Amino acid sequence: MIDALQVTQFVGELDEEELITVLEDFVESNPTEEEAQQVVVACQEGMAIVGDLFQKGEYFVGDLIFAGELLSEAMKILKPAIGQGTTVEIGSIVLGTVHGDLHDIGKNIFKNMCEAAGFQVFDIGIDQSPESFIEKIKEIKPNIVGMSGMLTLALESMKETILQLEEAGLRDSVKVIIGGNPVTKDVCEYVGADAFTVNAAEGVKICQDWVK
Ligand code: B12
């Protein structure tokens, strides 16, 4: 069994070698999807340590970039264990990181988990304007729109995107879920989303309930 605290520590310390070794051993041991999701959470907690050390001035932007790459690498290793994907498509999601925000690690984790659960995900990328969301929504006509943001300023972008969705007459045709560290129940109400989460696995469950 993998030691989740150790995984968190390796991410926090940016110890690539140790992290990759334990994750590869873990995936080889044929873990359940639930166990793999616990390891994703452990990695996420390691990123919180990285963030704290950055705030304290012990880590620099270069360390953040490295942390981002490290987590992407970790997710690639964990992907087969998170879910093999299903052949039945259960719904569609237009997903993106909102305007002004370049963080995409969390968005990508959510995307991978949604695909594994059977959703077709149209990922429009980072720093996406309300207009880009609207263009894609008109093209795809998805069941769900997912917006990701890690910066405080992302919250205003989420609000603006939903406002423009309303103005375009599209708001009632989709469910909107927001995710990322700064989102809360109050934020969800403020921006006018239908749901929020800081946990990708929970986000997938919410989306599954919506398309049932
Ligand atoms: C890695 C990182 C970066 C990397 C990003 C690399 C990348 N490709 O994403 C780089 C170096 C580029 C970066 C840049 C910056 N960053 Co930065 N960064 C981080 C860090 C350390 C980790 C973020 C992360 O990836 N977390 C792990 C993921 C897995 O968590 P998550 O995003 O919350 O995602 C989970 C859930 O929220 C959910 N989820 C996420 N999205 C969605 C979407 C939907 C629809 C759903 C359902 C779920 C969902 O699923 C995920 C898995 O469970 C955080 C610190 C922290 N404590 O988090 C700072 C942090 C977010 N950054 C910060 C800052 C200030 C910056 C910079 C301004 C730094 C600078 N001076 O240049 C720039 C801003 C650039 C910009 N315009 O966006 C601040 C934000 C402060 C604020 N309140 O606004 C933080 C909090 C650091 C700090 N403590 O000061 N950063």
Side-chain angles (χ1 to χ4, degrees), residues 16-85:
E16 184 176 19
E17 216 178 297
E18 293 285 358
L19 180 70
I20 302 306
T21 308
V22 291
L23 292 183
E24 281 175 351
D25 289 349
F26 171 67
V27 172
E28 261 174 43
S29 72
N30 270 327
T32 63
E33 228 177 281
E34 208 183 325
E35 283 165 346
Q37 277 173 9
Q38 281 163 7
V39 176
V40 172
V41 171
C43 289
Q44 200 177 332
E45 283 164 2
M47 290 302 264
I49 297 177
V50 173
D52 288 346
L53 291 174
F54 173 69
Q55 232 165 5
K56 283 186 195 149
E58 287 179 39
Y59 279 171
F60 302 99
V61 173
D63 297 309
L64 288 190
I65 295 173
F66 181 71
E69 286 166 359
L70 185 62
L71 212 68
S72 302
E73 203 182 336
M75 290 310 132
K76 254 187 226 149
I77 298 170
L78 289 171
K79 197 173 176 185
I82 290 170
Q84 298 303 323

Side-chain angles (χ1 to χ4, degrees), residues 4-19:
L5 284 177
Q6 209 181 31
V7 170
T8 301
Q9 187 191 336
F10 290 151
V11 175
E13 289 171 355
L14 302 177
D15 191 337
E16 184 176 19
E17 216 178 297
E18 293 285 358
L19 180 70

Side-chain angles (χ1 to χ4, degrees), residues 40-41 43-56 59-69 71-72 75 93-111 113-114 126-127 144-154 158 176-183 195-204 206-207:
V40 172
V41 171
C43 289
Q44 200 177 332
E45 283 164 2
M47 290 302 264
I49 297 177
V50 173
D52 288 346
L53 291 174
F54 173 69
Q55 232 165 5
K56 283 186 195 149
Y59 279 171
F60 302 99
V61 173
D63 297 309
L64 288 190
I65 295 173
F66 181 71
E69 286 166 359
L71 212 68
S72 302
M75 290 310 132
I93 303 177
V94 166
L95 176 68
T97 299
V98 294
H99 178 59
D101 200 323
L102 307 177
H103 295 83
D104 67 355
I105 300 169
K107 167 181 74 61
N108 294 343
I109 294 175
F110 177 65
K111 176 186 172 186
M113 287 191 181
C114 283
I126 55 173
D127 190 15
I144 297 165
V145 176
M147 291 193 272
S148 183
M150 284 298 284
L151 300 175
T152 314
L153 70 82
M158 289 176 177
V176 178
I177 183 166
I178 55 171
N181 206 32
V183 308
F196 75 98
T197 181
V198 293
N199 178 316
E202 189 190 52
V204 174
I206 294 169
C207 293

